[in-house]
Amino acid sequence: MFVCIGLFKVKQDNLPFALKHMRNHLDIVQKSKGFIHGYIAHATNKKNEFLVVEEYETTDAQQKAQDRLFENSKMKPNEYLNFNKVLEEKTFLAVFKKQE
């Protein structure tokens, strides 16, 4: 299993838009074959920090989900550009392989 994480710091006045965008992101990737589970977590001590977690069966499944997001970004480029504008700093993204 592969776990993908993204840590997002959002400008305070843009929280509703950012959360909507992150939920839309999960709606898109969960339709990919090999997607297991995903969720958004809100930091308990910082109102503007979110963690997005996605789990996939294989790296191929994760790549197909990314391809889906890329296709969606071509259909809605302004939405993706606007999301990047509401972030306070560069997003931390990482992929991990679960150890058995």
Side-chain angles (χ1 to χ4, degrees):
M1 176 174 59
F2 292 83
V3 179
C4 304
I5 64 164
L7 179 60
F8 300 90
K9 289 186 180 183
V10 178
K11 294 175 185 172
Q12 287 290 351
D13 55 341
N14 295 287
L15 296 177
F17 169 77
L19 189 55
K20 180 181 175 185
H21 183 82
M22 288 183 277
R23 285 183 178 142
N24 184 54
H25 170 101
L26 279 179
D27 288 345
I28 292 167
V29 298
Q30 73 182 3
K31 295 173 184 159
S32 299
K33 184 177 179 183
F35 176 84
I36 299 170
H37 182 69
Y39 58 88
I40 301 168
H42 193 196
T44 58
N45 60 341
K46 295 182 181 177
K47 299 267 186 218
N48 68 326
E49 288 188 16
F50 297 88
L51 176 68
V52 178
V53 178
E54 303 165 10
E55 297 175 3
Y56 297 91
E57 292 173 359
T58 64
T59 57
D60 186 51
Q62 189 266 336
Q63 184 56 54
K64 286 180 181 177
Q66 294 308 306
D67 293 345
R68 240 180 219 273
L69 287 171
F70 179 71
E71 287 303 314
N72 187 262
S73 73
K74 290 194 305 188
M75 292 187 301
K76 302 176 185 175
N78 287 338
E79 190 173 310
Y80 284 80
L81 289 172
N82 289 339
F83 179 71
N84 285 322
K85 289 178 183 177
V86 303
L87 300 176
E88 281 191 356
E89 58 188 57
K90 188 174 179 178
T91 303
F92 174 78
L93 300 170
V95 179
F96 299 88
K97 182 176 182 182
K98 182 178 176 185
Q99 297 298 303
E100 302 298 330

